[in-house]
Amino acid sequence: MAEFPSGSAPRLRAAVVGTGGISSEHLRFLAASARAELVGVCDMSRVSVEHAASTYGTTPFRSLDTMLVEAQPEVVHVLTPPSTHIALSETALESGAHVICEKPITLNSPDLEALLATADRSGRRLIENHNYRFNPEIEHLDGMVAAGVVGDIGEIEVRMGLPVNDPAGRFGDPNLPSPIHRLPAGVIHDFITHLTYLVDHFATEVDWEVVDSRWSCHGGVAHVPVDDLDSMLIGTGPDGAVHARIRFSALLAPDCFEITVRGSKGYGQVELFSGRVSEVIPRPGGKQLSPIVNMLVGGVSLFLGGPRSFKRKIMQQGPYVGLERFLDLTYAALASGSEPPVTTADMLRTSRLVDRLVAGRSRSDDDRAPAEAAR
Amino acid sequence: MRVLVTGSTGFVGSAVVAEALHAGHDVAALVRPASKAPFASIADHPKLRLVRADLRDRGSLDGVFSDIDVVIHLAATKAGDFATQFAGTVLATENLLDALTDSPVSRLVAVSTFSVYDYSSMPAGSVLDEDSPIDTHPAKRDEYAQTKLIQERLYREELARRDVVIIRPGMIYGRDNLWHALLGGELGPVFLRIGGRSILPMTYVENCAEAIVNAVDAPDVAGATINIVDDALPTQAEYIAALSRRTDIPKSVGVPWPVMKATAKAVAAVNDRFLQGRAKFPGIIVPEKLDGRFKPFRYSNERARRLLAWTPRFGLDEAFVRSLGDTDLVHARATEQQ
């Protein structure tokens, strides 16, 4: 480990593996952060890694082993396709680096437990990127819950709509079928970690007794075997029963990423792609006036949402805005040795819930088999 | 010659395939795996064969070039975010060049673009030719210019291994591509015609295809960069007037070039002063992008005429007639006797 002058904030030596689309978000943070010193970037593509290195002012490597030896990173960001996460993370952990890994960190919870054991043996942290937990809209919901205006949480709904069948998109392109479709949850495996940890975020103490998931292929695209998830969760938390719904659709427009948290007093709803926030909560004036005040406040919020949305677009503040905060908090924790903002427990609960959701895929296929045979 | 064409089903690629067949070459048209019935009208041409592969998939290129003499590389991705265009243009080219290793391919005809020039650094009204500077700090240019600049760097590296001819066509027009980005841009629901007196660096698609195919066996072009523009280039206003006499054109609003330039400069100043340069505005109000499309220059095709023994066959009026007619131009050219 590098040594830092006493009294100064330590800057951790950071390196990145993988220069795909998400890497620019990590590299931009690392190049600008006072908490990190970007010491290398690694990819099998020479031109891609050279471009990333020159753009962000670091050293390009074609091999992780070489980068670990020569650049000696203290933190490695694993940003490669999911099927490569375990091997690359193990190598980095065993070299003595902490690992921040893109989701899904592994494809099932036993693999995650094994990888966490490797991290333990190496005395290093393994942290999955749960960036949306740190978006301002989610933190707004956190504030509502903490202030008690939602009451006891009774229902959480997470809904995502993305046109993953679009032949012009990276998942729907028939010329180069993405390997993501071979994952247990198909293309939805690329998103299911986000959907699941956002439910978990508001239900950390809930014991889910029912997890019923239905997986479908509504788009009829040959190389996209699954493009729709509808799931119902019922559990019990400290304050009573909690329901949750996780929904993914490829056909409904417009694109959306909506989270609703309903409680015994009111609800909050946010949309992460547009930044929209709405609240229906008890207002001054009691039961009689609260609906009117909620409508007035909602109207003003919607009105102001237009300029806010315009500003987000112009200032290029996309839905990844939470990633910078997640990384900043993570680096602060790694430097101080405190618990990272995404804990091992957060990752395990999420992964185990994903396992239960994915288990429904085979049940969905079994349920449909008689109808399809009849056709 | 045995010629392989990438991007063969595109607007320019299909014209290049037809031209290469007309020139008597054995043509392998690289088409993507899911392309449906490409080149249906010339499918039985004895000198045409289809090769199915995707340049983004290095594995699909194994063996593709084992019986090829010259590659005409047109494939590029013009839409999508930077990562998408990087994959479709830069990584595709990296894969292509890697697959050429140990192949008999002796020449690469690499089709680039006028977008690589550094328009902002050149005085308005000057001559833009192959010796004009290319953009070395393209961060404020669009993704297409950025990725094509990286692609050109790969081409120059490839010169150590084989002949490389870089062809930079100007704006290519033709059927279904007559109303184009050098005339103006959309701002919400309005199409703004920007300027009117700038000369358009254009080439009609069949003229351009002939120049590209001439580069297959032209002598003394290894390492050369060659711009392709037609003769007697019209101004924006002349082009629009000529086009409007032959077909309906979109409704639009004219904005003088100096007004647009001043607006873009003002927006950039506000961005730099108050928004730390982080704001992203539509391309037509970004000075660097605006210059790349509308700043007035003069152009030369002297090098193309000399090195490629090329003369544009079709003038503007004839190009319009061909573009607006219903003749199958690919079939007509591919089967036309020399």
Side-chain angles (χ1 to χ4, degrees):
Chain A
M1 298 280 280
E3 293 189 5
F4 300 93
S6 60
S8 70
R11 294 180 81 206
L12 297 175
R13 296 167 60 82
V16 164
V17 190
T19 58
I22 193 65
S23 67
S24 59
E25 306 289 337
H26 288 253
L27 287 162
R28 193 177 300 123
F29 167 83
L30 294 171
S33 173
R35 300 189 193 279
E37 178 192 0
L38 181 59
V39 295
V41 58
C42 176
D43 198 288
M44 290 163 64
S45 161
R46 176 182 67 83
V47 63
S48 187
V49 76
E50 286 178 354
H51 177 71
S54 69
T55 302
Y56 296 100
T58 190
T59 308
F61 294 92
R62 303 283 299 281
S63 144
L64 174 60
D65 290 333
T66 306
M67 183 168 76
L68 292 173
V69 170
E70 295 186 8
Q72 297 199 326
E74 297 167 280
V75 186
V76 172
H77 295 233
V78 176
L79 313 179
T80 52
S83 58
T84 65
H85 285 174
I86 292 177
L88 295 174
S89 297
E90 277 179 349
T91 302
L93 288 165
E94 287 166 354
S95 79
H98 302 292
V99 168
I100 297 171
C101 185
E102 267 302 324
K103 51 76 202 168
I105 195 164
T106 61
L107 300 179
N108 55 61
S109 61
D111 283 350
L112 177 58
E113 289 163 13
L115 198 54
L116 284 166
T118 303
D120 271 350
R121 281 195 304 276
S122 306
R124 289 295 176 264
R125 297 280 193 179
L126 173 69
I127 303 152
E128 186 175 41
N129 176 18
H130 288 186
N131 53 294
Y132 289 114
R133 288 182 192 264
F134 305 92
N135 274 43
E137 300 84 8
I138 297 298
E139 293 187 332
H140 183 91
L141 286 178
D142 289 340
M144 290 177 67
V145 172
V149 294
V150 171
D152 297 335
I153 294 174
E155 189 171 302
I156 305 147
E157 180 175 298
V158 178
R159 175 187 296 271
M160 178 179 269
L162 285 174
V164 291
N165 291 322
D166 180 358
R170 64 187 174 116
F171 298 122
D173 185 346
N175 294 295
L176 194 63
S178 169
I180 199 87
H181 298 300
R182 295 198 291 269
L183 298 188
V187 64
I188 300 175
H189 221 125
D190 204 49
F191 310 103
I192 196 166
T193 309
H194 290 315
L195 308 180
T196 305
Y197 69 64
L198 286 175
V199 167
D200 175 75
H201 186 78
F202 297 101
T204 53
E205 296 181 65
V206 172
D207 176 24
W208 297 109
E209 291 134 16
V210 176
V211 177
D212 188 5
S213 60
R214 297 291 152 169
W215 301 76
S216 308
C217 175
H218 292 324
V221 177
H223 68 278
V224 183
V226 59
D227 60 12
D228 192 282
L229 166 64
D230 201 347
S231 61
M232 178 188 70
L233 295 76
I234 304 174
T236 306
D239 301 313
V242 180
H243 286 235
R245 188 181 186 204
I246 294 178
R247 182 82 180 94
F248 182 93
S249 168
L251 300 181
L252 303 179
D255 296 357
C256 76
F257 192 0
E258 195 173 84
I259 296 92
T260 307
V261 178
R262 293 176 186 273
S264 55
K265 294 182 181 174
Y267 70 88
Q269 186 178 64
V270 300
E271 211 287 307
L272 300 185
F273 291 164
S274 67
R276 177 170 52 80
V277 174
S278 61
E279 300 178 343
V280 176
I281 56 175
R283 303 285 187 182
K287 278 192 173 180
Q288 283 73 28
L289 291 181
S290 277
I292 297 170
V293 176
N294 271 316
M295 276 196 272
L296 288 171
V297 171
V300 170
S301 176
L302 271 178
F303 180 77
L304 296 175
R308 267 201 306 269
S309 182
F310 180 74
K311 183 186 169 197
R312 276 168 61 103
K313 188 169 178 61
I314 292 290
M315 297 305 290
Q316 304 179 72
Q317 292 170 333
Y320 291 125
V321 65
L323 181 61
E324 183 177 339
R325 181 155 165 72
F326 159 70
L327 291 174
D328 191 54
L329 292 170
T330 300
Y331 270 79
L334 292 174
S336 67
S338 58
E339 184 77 8
V342 175
T343 66
T344 298
D346 291 335
M347 292 156 54
L348 280 169
R349 281 196 315 275
T350 299
S351 185
R352 287 168 183 156
L353 192 48
V354 169
D355 285 352
R356 296 176 70 186
L357 289 163
V358 171
R361 188 172 172 193
S362 58
R363 284 201 299 276
S364 300
D365 294 343
D366 292 345
D367 288 351
R368 268 196 203 90
E372 286 174 1
R375 278 201 290 272
Chain B
M1 299 282 253
R2 299 169 299 177
V3 177
L4 182 140
V5 181
T6 74
S8 66
T9 59
F11 170 54
V12 185
S14 55
V16 166
V17 167
E19 188 63 37
L21 290 169
H22 175 76
H25 297 301
D26 291 308
V27 177
L30 194 77
V31 299
R32 288 184 293 184
S35 292
K36 288 180 182 163
F39 300 106
S41 69
I42 55 171
D44 57 355
H45 195 291
K47 284 180 170 286
L48 173 66
R49 69 184 170 97
L50 303 183
V51 178
R52 289 195 179 267
D54 193 306
L55 289 170
R56 296 167 300 173
D57 176 10
R58 172 64 185 84
S60 74
L61 301 176
D62 285 342
V64 163
F65 304 99
S66 59
D67 56 355
I68 299 296
D69 301 312
V70 176
V71 170
I72 299 175
H73 183 35
L74 283 154
T77 299
K78 296 181 176 179
D81 60 14
F82 182 81
T84 302
Q85 295 198 39
F86 191 85
T89 298
V90 179
L91 297 182
T93 300
E94 183 182 39
N95 286 337
L96 167 72
L97 299 181
D98 187 54
L100 292 185
T101 307
D102 301 327
S103 76
V105 171
S106 58
R107 176 172 292 180
L108 173 66
V109 177
V111 180
S112 184
T113 171
F114 260 43
S115 291
V116 298
Y117 288 112
D118 186 0
Y119 294 91
S120 294
S121 73
M122 289 182 277
S126 59
V127 174
L128 187 155
D129 62 17
E130 294 86 346
D131 297 323
S132 298
I134 62 171
D135 203 333
T136 51
H137 296 90
K140 292 186 177 176
R141 301 289 301 281
D142 59 26
E143 291 83 359
Y144 181 66
Q146 292 180 41
T147 51
K148 292 298 276 189
L149 278 159
I150 302 170
Q151 188 189 42
E152 275 210 4
R153 199 180 70 227
L154 297 180
Y155 293 151
R156 279 185 277 279
E157 292 171 5
E158 186 66 10
L159 259 173
R161 290 174 281 278
R162 70 197 85 246
D163 284 2
V164 177
V165 190
I166 297 178
I167 303 288
R168 291 179 185 154
M171 172 59 73
I172 304 170
Y173 73 105
R175 186 170 292 173
D176 300 326
N177 289 277
L178 294 173
W179 189 257
H180 55 69
L182 301 191
L183 303 174
E186 290 175 351
L187 193 64
V190 181
F191 189 92
L192 301 180
R193 279 181 287 109
I194 297 171
R197 286 185 283 186
S198 289
I199 295 169
L200 291 169
M202 298 195 310
T203 177
Y204 171 58
V205 64
E206 291 184 280
N207 294 341
C208 181
E210 191 171 352
I212 291 169
V213 171
N214 285 5
V216 166
D217 49 12
D220 307 322
V221 294
T225 298
I226 304 171
N227 286 355
I228 305 296
V229 291
D230 288 346
D231 295 332
L233 297 172
T235 64
Q236 295 160 301
E238 289 165 349
Y239 181 87
I240 290 173
L243 183 62
S244 65
R245 284 195 294 272
R246 296 187 178 277
T247 187
D248 293 336
I249 61 171
K251 288 183 178 167
S252 59
V253 177
V255 183
W257 161 250
V259 172
M260 205 66 215
K261 179 74 176 173
T263 303
K265 278 187 172 177
V267 170
V270 170
N271 191 7
D272 290 341
R273 178 81 173 80
F274 299 107
L275 303 171
Q276 294 79 49
R278 288 186 300 162
K280 186 174 185 179
F281 294 102
I284 58 169
I285 50 174
V286 175
E288 293 80 3
K289 295 178 185 175
L290 195 69
D291 285 345
R293 286 165 60 181
F294 307 110
K295 191 171 180 177
F297 293 99
R298 291 174 291 138
Y299 307 93
S300 166
N301 60 12
E302 183 277 329
R303 190 179 291 183
R305 285 175 160 277
R306 178 166 47 85
L307 293 181
L308 301 178
W310 173 69
T311 302
R313 277 189 298 140
F314 302 108
L316 187 66
D317 284 337
E318 204 170 357
F320 281 159
V321 170
R322 294 177 74 81
S323 299
L324 295 167
D326 54 11
T327 302
D328 181 342
L329 298 174
V330 169
H331 181 271
R333 187 60 173 167
T335 56
E336 183 183 331
Q337 294 297 313
Q338 281 203 44

